[in-house]
């Protein structure tokens, strides 16, 4: 894996409020209990649901997405056609194997997949994302954004007692899109 610099990643602490965190935690937990979150074929103890433009995307998620769009100047850019917006739920012992999102669209057009993730719950350092060769220190309620079509990303095996819950928002941006002067 290669390193990542400030032009390719951003971290914003306390991107959501404590009240929003409680809402998103309760919603993900309910979705898990109700079977809405499906087993992720990419690994054990991983569950997810694509929520963009579905009945599972509630008003609070749409408000959060609007904040992501405003923060990263994404108005007019399409939602990523492959993963879109996701609720990710990983139980202790699960992990994300480092990978790059290599969907054909990005390789054929040169567009970039900008993924903006909010850590709703992660009770120890094993919940921190790995992007490139770096562990990004993102606390609960924080956001990290990076180009998932260009940088390997994953997690260590989760060691904590609680599931790692992340709300993810993906967008398709042109090759010349830059996060410079955004979300500092």
């Amino acid at each position: 894996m290669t390193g990542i610099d400030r032009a390719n990643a951003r971290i914003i602490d306390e991107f959501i409020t404590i009240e929003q965190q409680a809402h998103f935690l309760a919603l993900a937990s309910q979705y898990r209990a109700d079977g809405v979150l499906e087993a992720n074929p990419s690994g054990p103890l991983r569950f997810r649901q694509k929520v963009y433009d579905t009945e599972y995307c509630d008003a609070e998620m749409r408000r959060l997405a609007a904040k992501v769009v405003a923060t990263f100047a994404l108005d007019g850019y399409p939602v990523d056609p492959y993963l879109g917006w996701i609720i990710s739920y990983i139980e202790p012992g699960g992990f994300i194997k480092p990978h790059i999102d290599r969907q054909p669209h990005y390789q054929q057009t040169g567009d970039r997949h900008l993924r903006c993730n909010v850590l709703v719950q992660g009770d120890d350092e094993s919940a921190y994302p790995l992007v490139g060769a770096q562990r990004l220190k993102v606390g609960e309620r924080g956001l990290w954004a990076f180009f998932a079509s260009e940088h390997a990303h994953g997690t260590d095996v989760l060691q904590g007692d609680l599931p790692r819950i992340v709300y993810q928002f993906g967008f398709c941006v042109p090759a010349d899109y830059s996060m410079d002067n955004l979300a500092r």
Side-chain angles (χ1 to χ4, degrees):
M1 292 189 290
T2 60
I4 190 163
D5 62 31
R6 283 198 48 79
N8 295 316
R10 291 289 182 275
I11 297 173
I12 304 174
D13 295 326
E14 299 180 8
F15 193 74
I16 61 173
T17 66
I18 291 170
E19 294 79 17
Q20 288 172 312
Q21 178 187 25
H23 171 81
F24 292 133
L25 175 59
L27 186 63
S29 298
Q30 187 64 54
Y31 283 172
R32 175 73 178 103
D34 291 348
V36 171
L37 300 180
E38 301 169 341
N40 187 328
S42 297
L45 304 173
R46 292 178 58 188
F47 302 87
R48 72 174 182 191
Q49 181 57 252
K50 294 179 183 181
V51 296
Y52 178 70
D53 205 21
T54 73
E55 69 271 23
Y56 304 118
C57 187
D58 73 356
E60 197 64 40
M61 274 191 279
R62 288 189 295 277
R63 281 191 285 278
L64 177 55
K67 182 177 180 180
V68 168
V69 167
T71 300
F72 290 94
L74 294 167
D75 193 36
Y77 293 116
V79 170
D80 167 64
Y82 301 100
L83 298 175
W85 300 349
I86 296 172
I87 299 172
S88 171
Y89 188 107
I90 304 175
E91 295 176 347
F95 65 96
I96 301 170
K97 181 180 177 183
H99 66 285
I100 296 174
D101 294 351
R102 296 195 188 276
Q103 279 75 18
H105 170 82
Y106 296 110
Q107 293 184 330
Q108 293 167 359
T109 66
D111 287 343
R112 306 165 94 182
H113 175 191
L114 179 66
R115 181 127 310 258
C116 305
N117 300 322
V118 176
L119 181 62
V120 172
Q121 180 173 271
D123 64 341
D124 75 355
E125 290 183 6
S126 67
Y128 291 164
L130 303 172
V131 178
Q134 296 180 358
R135 178 182 318 283
L136 303 181
K137 294 183 179 179
V138 179
E140 287 185 347
R141 300 187 298 124
L143 173 142
W144 74 100
F146 68 101
F147 296 105
S149 56
E150 298 173 14
H151 299 287
H153 51 283
T155 67
D156 288 327
V157 174
L158 296 182
Q159 301 297 317
D161 296 323
L162 300 173
R164 177 187 191 258
I165 298 173
V166 175
Y167 282 63
Q168 304 180 6
F169 302 89
F171 294 89
C172 182
V173 298
D176 63 351
Y177 176 90
S178 173
M179 287 187 284
D180 287 345
N181 302 317
L182 298 173
R184 296 237 180 223

